[in-house]
Amino acid sequence: MRLAAPPARWLVLTTLRARTGEHLRKVARHAVAKGAHLVLAYYEGQHPSGLVDPLARLAQRARFLRRRLGVCVDLVDGVLRSRRDLLALVDGADLVCLVDANEPPAARALMPDLLTVLLRAGSAPVWVVQDASETRFTTLHCCTRLSPADAVLLPWAQALAPARGIHLVHVLETTMPVPEPRESAQHVVFDHMLRQWRMRAYQSLEQWALPLRAAGWRPMLTVLLGNVEEVLAQHARSAWHGVVLLGHRRRRCWPGERSSLVHRVAALGIDVLAVPLPRQPWPRRAGQALVRWLGLRAAQSRGAAWP
């Protein structure tokens, strides 16, 4: 597997609120290191900040970044208020950096927040920048299901990971209940199955790590057990000093629908990079949904019948 080049055009959305300058400097330093081009845009949103001339202040920030860091910066002419104009601007970006702009909507039950809108559009990866400190950015945690579609995560792991800090994480979703301790035979079978699953998962992670090792990286490998969302959220909480890389699929069927895993990790105050995954044909999606439903029913039946 050949790793792609770093992204070239980063769109930075900001409301110019408190600590925005520190977040912008963090993004700009990464852009300089990766050879990227920044485009700054002022997003007013539904709750205006009350700034007299926000575009002049944004231009001042851009001049500071050019002078102090040497990054190539352009400005979007005008204030972004309409999400239609915002999504049209996002279509031409390689990466969207959400800097303090993800405000809650006025009607939370009916309208999604800005992060949900960007995830639903699925036209570009979204980096939610929440930690202004660069000294704590030590590791990028790439959470993968080891499916062929998740292969798009590897170039982004290489593009944004600091130094040599890449951590490949996979969760084995276990639905089978743990047998009773007194049932020694069942315990041995269950333990053997877990060891086999973990060994196969580590072998798959090793295959994923090969192109990274060939490029000079030394990724760490971790296999976890349990519910995917709960375990990944717990891992992200323990991996506070870094960025969590997740893949997500576009879902447009319901206005208030949220990409729960991305939002759950972002709610912890951790930087999250959400990369859109290729959309699968509907027959395959329907088949996978049926398999998951049958597997859940079978697991429930086993749990009910387990002595």
Side-chain angles (χ1 to χ4, degrees):
M1 184 186 302
R2 187 175 181 180
L3 300 181
R9 186 173 183 268
W10 296 5
L11 174 64
V12 183
L13 302 176
T14 178
T15 57
L16 293 176
R17 287 187 171 88
R19 298 192 68 184
T20 301
E22 299 177 13
H23 289 80
L24 286 177
R25 285 193 291 272
K26 174 181 176 179
V27 173
R29 287 192 174 93
H30 283 282
V32 171
K34 306 304 179 181
H37 174 89
L38 290 185
V39 178
L40 299 186
Y42 174 70
Y43 178 77
E44 188 173 69
Q46 300 174 355
H47 307 287
S49 60
L51 297 178
V52 178
D53 193 351
L55 294 182
R57 182 171 297 190
L58 189 67
Q60 182 182 12
R61 297 281 177 87
R63 289 193 297 270
F64 173 83
L65 295 177
R66 294 191 196 101
R67 183 176 64 254
R68 296 293 296 271
L69 301 178
V71 64
C72 184
V73 183
D74 287 334
L75 298 177
V76 175
D77 187 16
V79 177
L80 292 178
R81 296 185 178 91
S82 170
R83 289 182 176 177
R84 179 180 302 177
D85 297 337
L86 171 65
L87 293 180
L89 187 64
V90 168
D91 284 338
D94 297 303
L95 175 66
V96 178
C97 303
L98 198 58
V99 180
D100 81 340
N102 188 37
E103 59 182 4
R108 185 184 299 270
L110 298 177
M111 297 181 60
D113 60 348
L114 180 59
L115 176 58
T116 302
V117 172
L118 295 174
L119 294 178
R120 188 179 300 161
S123 55
V126 181
W127 180 11
V128 184
V129 184
Q130 303 193 94
D131 189 354
S133 175
E134 297 179 59
T135 58
R136 294 199 297 241
F137 186 8
T138 58
T139 307
L140 184 141
H141 302 265
C142 179
C143 304
T144 172
R145 296 170 302 174
L146 298 176
S147 65
D150 282 10
V152 298
L153 301 179
L154 288 180
W156 288 97
Q158 185 194 29
L160 289 184
R164 290 291 185 264
I166 295 181
H167 193 166
L168 298 179
V169 182
H170 174 68
V171 179
L172 285 173
E173 188 167 11
T174 57
T175 56
M176 181 182 295
V178 180
E180 294 291 337
R182 64 178 181 273
E183 300 292 343
S184 59
Q186 294 175 354
H187 185 79
V188 170
V189 172
F190 184 74
D191 187 60
H192 175 73
M193 292 175 62
L194 285 181
R195 286 200 302 268
Q196 292 294 321
W197 291 339
R198 288 175 62 91
M199 182 180 65
R200 293 172 186 171
Y202 272 112
Q203 291 174 349
S204 299
L205 281 180
E206 283 291 348
Q207 293 297 319
W208 268 61
L210 288 179
L212 294 174
R213 298 186 193 279
W217 301 83
R218 294 182 179 178
M220 296 180 290
L221 310 180
T222 298
V223 176
L224 304 173
L225 300 174
N227 179 270
V228 175
E229 291 190 7
E230 295 179 359
V231 171
L232 284 183
Q234 183 178 3
H235 175 79
R237 190 181 294 109
S238 63
W240 184 268
H241 305 321
V243 174
V244 177
L245 173 60
L246 297 170
H248 74 93
R249 296 194 184 277
R250 294 176 291 176
R251 301 187 180 113
R252 306 182 183 183
C253 58
W254 188 251
E257 187 174 6
R258 298 165 65 89
S259 182
S260 58
L261 183 56
V262 176
H263 282 85
R264 187 169 183 175
V265 175
L268 300 174
I270 304 171
D271 283 16
V272 180
L273 176 61
V275 177
L277 300 177
R279 193 169 180 83
Q280 296 178 338
W282 73 264
R284 184 173 182 181
R285 297 199 305 272
Q288 290 178 346
L290 179 61
V291 169
R292 287 195 298 269
W293 181 80
L294 292 175
L296 179 60
R297 292 297 300 273
Q300 292 174 347
S301 301
R302 288 195 301 267
W306 200 280

